[in-house]
Amino acid sequence: MEVYRLWKGMGIDMSFSGTVKEELAAQVSSARHCQLAELAALLHFAGGTCENDAHLCLETENEAVERKCFTLLKKTFNIDNVVTQGANMQRKSRLLPDDREEARVIQALHLYDGTGSRVALESPVNVLLIKNSCCLRAYLRGVFLCAGSMSDPEKSYHLEFVCNHRAQAEQLQGIIQEFQIEAKLIKRKKYEVVYLKEGAGIVDLLNVMGAHVSLMNLENLRIVKEMRNSINRRVNCETANISKTVTAASKQIEDILFIRDRYGFDNLPDNLRQMAEVRLEHPDAALKELGEYLEPKVGKSGVNHRLRRLSELADTIRL
């Protein structure tokens, strides 16, 4: 059973976006360069500074981001002594209490520029960390954990990343487009939002990030939705055809009654008289069915031709 429907069936308040993040949070790349790329994403999008901008902090209430950050620090740097922020976010705490360990992390994530000064976390991630395709995928996982969200695909297709700065958003948009996925950028109030609205593009991005279970859940939902839409279109089409047929039949009967009362069936040729009588006897019948009642039997086009002649005759008499 798919995870999303399982949670909904159990009454657990977990959005589709939440299931994607839980899946991504559980993934840890085996390669150190990919771990660094994802850790950089976490710090650039959920990190900050404290103690007069001297030290790194993790500014998030998202437990999945905290867990992933601590896991990556452990696996990449063998660092255990990290500090959790706390749910109330009223006090910023240093992520790494040890100066030497913090320096190692800053150095590895290229948070120093060429002059030895600290790079602002709001700036784009250093391109040296995302040279490889696998690192780009890891980076996107980290960014989605911090800044990504997705609407319920049962209602609409929309995935977005909310960025605080234009340069970050433009870099993110470029990375997504490197995988041949169309991503758009828009300013929303004080934020820069990179978004996707096509179901196929969202599926491709989930695949790129490695959210394969969520991808399959989304594909299943898309199939059901497409089937539902197809059925609705067919029903609407059939309803429109029925309405059109009923309207046409009503007009035919109106014309035939007018001919009967103002002209008389005796003045009609035998083929038109028989057609008029059959239509009055079977007001709800389709053209093909009407042709079966005639002697000799007539095809659909023949029936349509005779009814059209009766309509033209009625219009002439009205003049």
Side-chain angles (χ1 to χ4, degrees):
M1 183 184 296
E2 56 190 270
V3 177
Y4 178 54
R5 290 194 182 279
L6 176 61
W7 276 336
K8 289 184 72 175
M10 294 170 62
I12 298 175
D13 185 15
M14 175 64 74
S15 65
F16 192 92
S17 184
T19 67
V20 175
K21 291 189 177 185
E22 286 295 323
E23 183 177 2
L24 295 180
Q27 294 190 34
V28 180
S29 301
S30 58
R32 187 173 188 271
H33 49 83
C34 292
Q35 294 171 1
L36 288 174
E38 188 167 2
L39 182 59
L42 298 182
L43 290 179
H44 275 269
F45 280 84
T49 56
C50 58
E51 299 181 18
N52 297 321
D53 296 333
H55 299 290
L56 293 175
C57 296
L58 193 61
E59 300 178 348
T60 180
E61 296 181 22
N62 189 328
E63 292 183 2
V65 173
E66 285 189 351
R67 293 197 310 269
K68 194 62 173 289
C69 185
F70 301 158
T71 299
L72 291 172
L73 287 171
K74 170 63 177 178
K75 288 186 173 292
T76 311
F77 299 98
N78 197 29
I79 295 176
D80 285 317
N81 58 329
V82 293
V83 178
T84 181
Q85 173 62 61
N88 57 22
M89 294 289 292
Q90 293 180 354
R91 180 181 61 83
K92 294 182 179 180
S93 300
R94 286 183 60 177
L95 178 64
L96 300 163
D98 186 278
D99 289 342
R100 289 175 299 179
E101 291 178 343
E102 185 175 70
R104 286 171 56 206
V105 173
I106 292 173
Q107 187 71 39
L109 298 182
H110 298 279
L111 294 177
Y112 287 125
D113 61 19
T115 65
S117 301
R118 283 273 295 278
V119 174
L121 291 175
E122 296 83 4
S123 62
V125 69
N126 192 297
V127 294
L128 294 175
L129 294 169
I130 49 175
K131 294 187 298 182
N132 304 320
S133 176
C134 57
C135 296
L136 291 174
R137 294 170 186 267
Y139 176 78
L140 288 173
R141 278 198 297 273
V143 177
F144 189 85
L145 277 174
C146 299
S149 64
M150 183 175 170
S151 63
D152 184 347
E154 291 187 349
K155 299 177 181 177
S156 64
Y157 300 129
H158 183 88
L159 184 150
E160 68 179 30
F161 301 85
V162 179
C163 309
N164 290 318
H165 299 276
R166 185 78 179 185
Q168 273 188 335
E170 290 175 346
Q171 183 186 50
L172 176 60
Q173 181 187 29
I175 291 173
I176 295 173
Q177 290 176 342
E178 286 195 33
F179 292 97
Q180 308 304 312
I181 301 172
E182 182 181 5
K184 297 182 180 181
L185 176 58
I186 188 174
K187 188 172 185 64
R188 185 189 300 157
K189 296 182 180 179
K190 65 177 183 177
Y191 300 105
E192 305 289 341
V193 181
V194 179
Y195 69 94
L196 291 76
K197 291 194 74 68
E198 296 295 330
I202 294 174
V203 166
D204 289 342
L205 185 58
L206 291 177
N207 183 50
V208 166
M209 294 189 298
H212 302 301
V213 174
S214 297
L215 183 156
M216 292 304 299
N217 290 340
L218 175 58
E219 284 287 52
N220 289 337
L221 290 172
R222 287 182 70 202
I223 291 171
V224 172
K225 193 172 182 178
E226 284 301 317
M227 288 179 60
R228 187 184 300 125
N229 290 340
S230 177
I231 292 171
N232 287 339
R233 285 193 296 269
R234 185 176 301 176
V235 169
N236 290 338
C237 182
E238 291 177 354
T239 301
N241 288 337
I242 291 172
S243 177
K244 184 178 179 181
T245 300
V246 170
T247 300
S250 298
K251 178 64 167 60
Q252 293 160 6
I253 292 172
E254 179 184 338
D255 290 338
I256 290 170
L257 290 174
F258 183 81
I259 292 171
R260 185 195 65 184
D261 296 340
R262 300 296 182 90
Y263 189 72
F265 283 172
D266 292 340
N267 294 319
L268 293 175
D270 288 343
N271 61 339
L272 295 186
R273 176 186 53 74
Q274 186 185 19
M275 184 73 260
E277 292 173 346
V278 166
R279 171 45 98 189
L280 290 180
E281 291 174 6
H282 306 281
D284 299 326
L287 298 184
K288 184 177 180 181
E289 186 180 353
L290 288 174
E292 298 291 324
Y293 295 126
L294 298 174
E295 289 293 342
K297 295 180 180 180
V298 178
K300 182 178 178 180
S301 60
V303 171
N304 189 52
H305 174 70
R306 294 184 186 187
L307 289 171
R308 186 167 60 249
R309 286 182 60 189
L310 287 169
S311 179
E312 291 171 354
L313 176 60
D315 289 340
T316 301
I317 297 173
R318 288 188 180 98
L319 295 176

